[in-house]
Amino acid sequence: MAHANRLSRGDLRRNARLERLRGVVSHDRAVLAVDLADDKQVVVVCDHDSRVLARRTWRCRPWQLGKALEWGLGVACRQGFAGAVVACEPTGHRWRVVVEHAHRLGLEAVCVQPLLVRRAREAEDFTRDKSDDKDALLIARLTTQLHCYLPEQPTAAWARLRHLGNRRVEQLALATAAQQRLRDLLECGWPAALEVTRHPLDSLTWRAAMTVGRCDPARIRRLGLARFARAVARELPRWGGRRRHLRILRALYAAAGDDRGVKAQRAGALERGALVLADFKQALAALAEVEARMASVLAELGLAELVTSIRGLSVVGAAAILAETGDPARFDDAKAVVKHAGLCPRDNASGAFAGKTTISGRGRPLLRLAAWRAVWGALPHNPVFAARYAHLTSRQHNRLSDGQARSAIAAALLRQLWVVCVNRIPWELAVASGTTGKEVTDPAA
């Protein structure tokens, strides 16, 4: 019983977080809750017992809410409060405008998760009744109960990286969609073009050849093999290639004589395929441009060399992760980043019962996706991750599947990236493998 009153690290972190929130949502400040919409904003001023002191609906855009916040602050001061704290839901980019207005007035701002508002709405009267006035009141009530958080305040460089990361996700989606659509169209109109190599859409020679031929086998036959090969050589650098793969060229030229496909759909499908191929090329060019911009932002932040010290992690892979996390220094520890990504284990136990443990799946899905993608590139080149993967998938007890092991390594990657970025120290094999002070065999040496 000597340690009965000892608090866990989780208790200490939770208490510290509540103390920080209570310093902002103090009892001498009223809560100014805003339910945001496009052109209708409901503002409610409440005390800490959820009593409504004033309510008003403003017909304005979010960036015109400065007068509304001044009105709410005036109401709070007349009711005997020293000030007010602004609370809202983080919807779109509107909440950023509200936070900016609050800071200009010298007010603190907090955010309440929309999921909590929805649950509180159902608990209010056991119905799904919804209105802007009720939501504003619920935001105020959750704020006084400290079911809120302090929003991130990034610098200009970190904000730019976040926007570039979102742009990269968009271009990746466009490129992937175009690639899949092109495959579907060729399967309908010219399936022989997909048989010339094992992974045709990944081949730069195949892409350049299909661009020259405009996905039209008749045009390729009219050019002749020699002219066709010279045209592909000129087109290949535009796809980022340097040397033609002559076997693929000859196989594609031979496939131009194959008339398999749905005859009625062939002409239209191949014409559309040429347009989709152009979209694919444009999306890849935009993707390369935004990735170069993200790399330059990491260099500006002084993190480019540090993050690439992690074996197998590229600058783009690290930039994609950091675009979703923001400045890692805003997290208390490395485990908080893993929880933010939804890669932390979710307990499922009660008394003597112990159920299956899975990842929480909460947090930022795009951060989880970025970490998952980075693992695929890092695993073949990082001896620490490779050894951990082999251990997790081959141990006798509690053996993990491939996906489970990769999720565990993704969590480890996030933790190590946090240490590297926050402490500004390069990644070291001996430290990462837990063999500091011992002889380490480096496979790359």
PDB file of all heavy atoms in Angstrom, residues 167-185:
ATOM      1  N   ARG A 167      -3.100  19.492 -50.612  1.00  0.00           N
ATOM      2  CA  ARG A 167      -3.006  19.530 -52.078  1.00  0.00           C
ATOM      3  C   ARG A 167      -2.424  18.215 -52.610  1.00  0.00           C
ATOM      4  O   ARG A 167      -2.894  17.675 -53.620  1.00  0.00           O
ATOM      5  CB  ARG A 167      -2.125  20.711 -52.496  1.00  0.00           C
ATOM      6  CG  ARG A 167      -1.694  20.747 -53.941  1.00  0.00           C
ATOM      7  CD  ARG A 167      -2.820  21.080 -54.876  1.00  0.00           C
ATOM      8  NE  ARG A 167      -2.332  21.242 -56.243  1.00  0.00           N
ATOM      9  CZ  ARG A 167      -3.123  21.446 -57.296  1.00  0.00           C
ATOM     10  NH1 ARG A 167      -4.428  21.511 -57.138  1.00  0.00           N
ATOM     11  NH2 ARG A 167      -2.612  21.574 -58.507  1.00  0.00           N
ATOM     12  N   ARG A 168      -1.417  17.679 -51.923  1.00  0.00           N
ATOM     13  CA  ARG A 168      -0.817  16.421 -52.357  1.00  0.00           C
ATOM     14  C   ARG A 168      -1.825  15.283 -52.296  1.00  0.00           C
ATOM     15  O   ARG A 168      -1.881  14.429 -53.197  1.00  0.00           O
ATOM     16  CB  ARG A 168       0.396  16.102 -51.487  1.00  0.00           C
ATOM     17  CG  ARG A 168       1.076  14.783 -51.829  1.00  0.00           C
ATOM     18  CD  ARG A 168       2.320  14.562 -50.994  1.00  0.00           C
ATOM     19  NE  ARG A 168       2.941  13.286 -51.327  1.00  0.00           N
ATOM     20  CZ  ARG A 168       2.687  12.139 -50.720  1.00  0.00           C
ATOM     21  NH1 ARG A 168       1.801  12.099 -49.719  1.00  0.00           N
ATOM     22  NH2 ARG A 168       3.290  11.030 -51.091  1.00  0.00           N
ATOM     23  N   VAL A 169      -2.631  15.249 -51.243  1.00  0.00           N
ATOM     24  CA  VAL A 169      -3.657  14.207 -51.127  1.00  0.00           C
ATOM     25  C   VAL A 169      -4.639  14.298 -52.292  1.00  0.00           C
ATOM     26  O   VAL A 169      -5.040  13.271 -52.872  1.00  0.00           O
ATOM     27  CB  VAL A 169      -4.390  14.341 -49.781  1.00  0.00           C
ATOM     28  CG1 VAL A 169      -5.609  13.427 -49.732  1.00  0.00           C
ATOM     29  CG2 VAL A 169      -3.451  14.004 -48.631  1.00  0.00           C
ATOM     30  N   GLU A 170      -5.022  15.512 -52.658  1.00  0.00           N
ATOM     31  CA  GLU A 170      -5.939  15.693 -53.787  1.00  0.00           C
ATOM     32  C   GLU A 170      -5.340  15.177 -55.089  1.00  0.00           C
ATOM     33  O   GLU A 170      -6.015  14.472 -55.853  1.00  0.00           O
ATOM     34  CB  GLU A 170      -6.292  17.172 -53.937  1.00  0.00           C
ATOM     35  CG  GLU A 170      -7.086  17.753 -52.782  1.00  0.00           C
ATOM     36  CD  GLU A 170      -7.210  19.257 -52.843  1.00  0.00           C
ATOM     37  OE1 GLU A 170      -6.581  19.870 -53.736  1.00  0.00           O
ATOM     38  OE2 GLU A 170      -7.916  19.835 -52.000  1.00  0.00           O
ATOM     39  N   GLN A 171      -4.074  15.520 -55.345  1.00  0.00           N
ATOM     40  CA  GLN A 171      -3.439  15.092 -56.588  1.00  0.00           C
ATOM     41  C   GLN A 171      -3.201  13.587 -56.615  1.00  0.00           C
ATOM     42  O   GLN A 171      -3.301  12.959 -57.675  1.00  0.00           O
ATOM     43  CB  GLN A 171      -2.121  15.849 -56.791  1.00  0.00           C
ATOM     44  CG  GLN A 171      -2.290  17.342 -56.975  1.00  0.00           C
ATOM     45  CD  GLN A 171      -3.237  17.686 -58.108  1.00  0.00           C
ATOM     46  OE1 GLN A 171      -3.189  17.091 -59.194  1.00  0.00           O
ATOM     47  NE2 GLN A 171      -4.130  18.632 -57.862  1.00  0.00           N
ATOM     48  N   LEU A 172      -2.896  13.012 -55.457  1.00  0.00           N
ATOM     49  CA  LEU A 172      -2.757  11.553 -55.398  1.00  0.00           C
ATOM     50  C   LEU A 172      -4.074  10.871 -55.739  1.00  0.00           C
ATOM     51  O   LEU A 172      -4.101   9.869 -56.466  1.00  0.00           O
ATOM     52  CB  LEU A 172      -2.302  11.136 -54.001  1.00  0.00           C
ATOM     53  CG  LEU A 172      -0.799  11.055 -53.751  1.00  0.00           C
ATOM     54  CD1 LEU A 172      -0.531  10.743 -52.284  1.00  0.00           C
ATOM     55  CD2 LEU A 172      -0.161   9.993 -54.637  1.00  0.00           C
ATOM     56  N   ALA A 173      -5.165  11.421 -55.222  1.00  0.00           N
ATOM     57  CA  ALA A 173      -6.477  10.842 -55.517  1.00  0.00           C
ATOM     58  C   ALA A 173      -6.803  10.962 -56.995  1.00  0.00           C
ATOM     59  O   ALA A 173      -7.328  10.014 -57.609  1.00  0.00           O
ATOM     60  CB  ALA A 173      -7.549  11.524 -54.672  1.00  0.00           C
ATOM     61  N   LEU A 174      -6.485  12.115 -57.597  1.00  0.00           N
ATOM     62  CA  LEU A 174      -6.749  12.303 -59.030  1.00  0.00           C
ATOM     63  C   LEU A 174      -5.903  11.351 -59.876  1.00  0.00           C
ATOM     64  O   LEU A 174      -6.400  10.749 -60.837  1.00  0.00           O
ATOM     65  CB  LEU A 174      -6.459  13.754 -59.423  1.00  0.00           C
ATOM     66  CG  LEU A 174      -7.428  14.816 -58.901  1.00  0.00           C
ATOM     67  CD1 LEU A 174      -6.941  16.212 -59.273  1.00  0.00           C
ATOM     68  CD2 LEU A 174      -8.828  14.584 -59.444  1.00  0.00           C
ATOM     69  N   ALA A 175      -4.621  11.214 -59.526  1.00  0.00           N
ATOM     70  CA  ALA A 175      -3.739  10.336 -60.296  1.00  0.00           C
ATOM     71  C   ALA A 175      -4.170   8.878 -60.175  1.00  0.00           C
ATOM     72  O   ALA A 175      -4.201   8.140 -61.175  1.00  0.00           O
ATOM     73  CB  ALA A 175      -2.296  10.509 -59.824  1.00  0.00           C
ATOM     74  N   THR A 176      -4.522   8.456 -58.976  1.00  0.00           N
ATOM     75  CA  THR A 176      -4.955   7.070 -58.778  1.00  0.00           C
ATOM     76  C   THR A 176      -6.264   6.792 -59.509  1.00  0.00           C
ATOM     77  O   THR A 176      -6.420   5.738 -60.144  1.00  0.00           O
ATOM     78  CB  THR A 176      -5.131   6.788 -57.272  1.00  0.00           C
ATOM     79  OG1 THR A 176      -3.907   7.066 -56.603  1.00  0.00           O
ATOM     80  CG2 THR A 176      -5.512   5.334 -57.044  1.00  0.00           C
ATOM     81  N   ALA A 177      -7.199   7.755 -59.431  1.00  0.00           N
ATOM     82  CA  ALA A 177      -8.475   7.576 -60.122  1.00  0.00           C
ATOM     83  C   ALA A 177      -8.280   7.499 -61.635  1.00  0.00           C
ATOM     84  O   ALA A 177      -8.902   6.675 -62.314  1.00  0.00           O
ATOM     85  CB  ALA A 177      -9.424   8.716 -59.763  1.00  0.00           C
ATOM     86  N   ALA A 178      -7.415   8.359 -62.174  1.00  0.00           N
ATOM     87  CA  ALA A 178      -7.157   8.345 -63.617  1.00  0.00           C
ATOM     88  C   ALA A 178      -6.519   7.032 -64.040  1.00  0.00           C
ATOM     89  O   ALA A 178      -6.856   6.460 -65.096  1.00  0.00           O
ATOM     90  CB  ALA A 178      -6.259   9.524 -63.994  1.00  0.00           C
ATOM     91  N   GLN A 179      -5.598   6.517 -63.235  1.00  0.00           N
ATOM     92  CA  GLN A 179      -4.935   5.255 -63.554  1.00  0.00           C
ATOM     93  C   GLN A 179      -5.937   4.101 -63.584  1.00  0.00           C
ATOM     94  O   GLN A 179      -5.930   3.281 -64.516  1.00  0.00           O
ATOM     95  CB  GLN A 179      -3.839   4.997 -62.521  1.00  0.00           C
ATOM     96  CG  GLN A 179      -2.864   3.907 -62.903  1.00  0.00           C
ATOM     97  CD  GLN A 179      -1.722   3.808 -61.925  1.00  0.00           C
ATOM     98  OE1 GLN A 179      -1.832   4.223 -60.780  1.00  0.00           O
ATOM     99  NE2 GLN A 179      -0.601   3.273 -62.357  1.00  0.00           N
ATOM    100  N   GLN A 180      -6.799   4.042 -62.591  1.00  0.00           N
ATOM    101  CA  GLN A 180      -7.781   2.970 -62.539  1.00  0.00           C
ATOM    102  C   GLN A 180      -8.811   3.106 -63.663  1.00  0.00           C
ATOM    103  O   GLN A 180      -9.246   2.112 -64.250  1.00  0.00           O
ATOM    104  CB  GLN A 180      -8.473   2.975 -61.180  1.00  0.00           C
ATOM    105  CG  GLN A 180      -7.547   2.613 -60.029  1.00  0.00           C
ATOM    106  CD  GLN A 180      -8.210   2.754 -58.679  1.00  0.00           C
ATOM    107  OE1 GLN A 180      -9.273   3.364 -58.559  1.00  0.00           O
ATOM    108  NE2 GLN A 180      -7.588   2.206 -57.652  1.00  0.00           N
ATOM    109  N   ARG A 181      -9.195   4.343 -63.970  1.00  0.00           N
ATOM    110  CA  ARG A 181     -10.162   4.563 -65.045  1.00  0.00           C
ATOM    111  C   ARG A 181      -9.579   4.170 -66.397  1.00  0.00           C
ATOM    112  O   ARG A 181     -10.267   3.597 -67.259  1.00  0.00           O
ATOM    113  CB  ARG A 181     -10.578   6.035 -65.054  1.00  0.00           C
ATOM    114  CG  ARG A 181     -11.842   6.322 -65.867  1.00  0.00           C
ATOM    115  CD  ARG A 181     -12.261   7.763 -65.705  1.00  0.00           C
ATOM    116  NE  ARG A 181     -12.608   8.056 -64.328  1.00  0.00           N
ATOM    117  CZ  ARG A 181     -12.006   8.971 -63.587  1.00  0.00           C
ATOM    118  NH1 ARG A 181     -10.988   9.658 -64.082  1.00  0.00           N
ATOM    119  NH2 ARG A 181     -12.390   9.190 -62.357  1.00  0.00           N
ATOM    120  N   LEU A 182      -8.285   4.476 -66.595  1.00  0.00           N
ATOM    121  CA  LEU A 182      -7.634   4.105 -67.850  1.00  0.00           C
ATOM    122  C   LEU A 182      -7.598   2.590 -68.016  1.00  0.00           C
ATOM    123  O   LEU A 182      -7.840   2.063 -69.112  1.00  0.00           O
ATOM    124  CB  LEU A 182      -6.218   4.688 -67.881  1.00  0.00           C
ATOM    125  CG  LEU A 182      -5.380   4.385 -69.129  1.00  0.00           C
ATOM    126  CD1 LEU A 182      -6.047   4.935 -70.374  1.00  0.00           C
ATOM    127  CD2 LEU A 182      -3.972   4.966 -68.980  1.00  0.00           C
ATOM    128  N   ARG A 183      -7.321   1.878 -66.951  1.00  0.00           N
ATOM    129  CA  ARG A 183      -7.309   0.423 -67.026  1.00  0.00           C
ATOM    130  C   ARG A 183      -8.692  -0.110 -67.404  1.00  0.00           C
ATOM    131  O   ARG A 183      -8.820  -1.007 -68.254  1.00  0.00           O
ATOM    132  CB  ARG A 183      -6.863  -0.170 -65.690  1.00  0.00           C
ATOM    133  CG  ARG A 183      -6.853  -1.690 -65.651  1.00  0.00           C
ATOM    134  CD  ARG A 183      -6.448  -2.208 -64.299  1.00  0.00           C
ATOM    135  NE  ARG A 183      -5.069  -1.892 -63.991  1.00  0.00           N
ATOM    136  CZ  ARG A 183      -4.029  -2.617 -64.388  1.00  0.00           C
ATOM    137  NH1 ARG A 183      -4.230  -3.704 -65.130  1.00  0.00           N
ATOM    138  NH2 ARG A 183      -2.808  -2.273 -64.065  1.00  0.00           N
ATOM    139  N   ASP A 184      -9.731   0.438 -66.783  1.00  0.00           N
ATOM    140  CA  ASP A 184     -11.093  -0.012 -67.084  1.00  0.00           C
ATOM    141  C   ASP A 184     -11.449   0.229 -68.549  1.00  0.00           C
ATOM    142  O   ASP A 184     -12.056  -0.631 -69.208  1.00  0.00           O
ATOM    143  CB  ASP A 184     -12.099   0.714 -66.189  1.00  0.00           C
ATOM    144  CG  ASP A 184     -11.996   0.271 -64.745  1.00  0.00           C
ATOM    145  OD1 ASP A 184     -11.414  -0.804 -64.496  1.00  0.00           O
ATOM    146  OD2 ASP A 184     -12.485   1.002 -63.864  1.00  0.00           O
ATOM    147  N   LEU A 185     -11.061   1.393 -69.072  1.00  0.00           N
ATOM    148  CA  LEU A 185     -11.388   1.714 -70.465  1.00  0.00           C
ATOM    149  C   LEU A 185     -10.642   0.809 -71.440  1.00  0.00           C
ATOM    150  O   LEU A 185     -11.207   0.374 -72.463  1.00  0.00           O
ATOM    151  CB  LEU A 185     -11.066   3.184 -70.744  1.00  0.00           C
ATOM    152  CG  LEU A 185     -11.963   4.207 -70.039  1.00  0.00           C
ATOM    153  CD1 LEU A 185     -11.408   5.611 -70.195  1.00  0.00           C
ATOM    154  CD2 LEU A 185     -13.388   4.142 -70.596  1.00  0.00           C
TER     155      LEU A 185
END
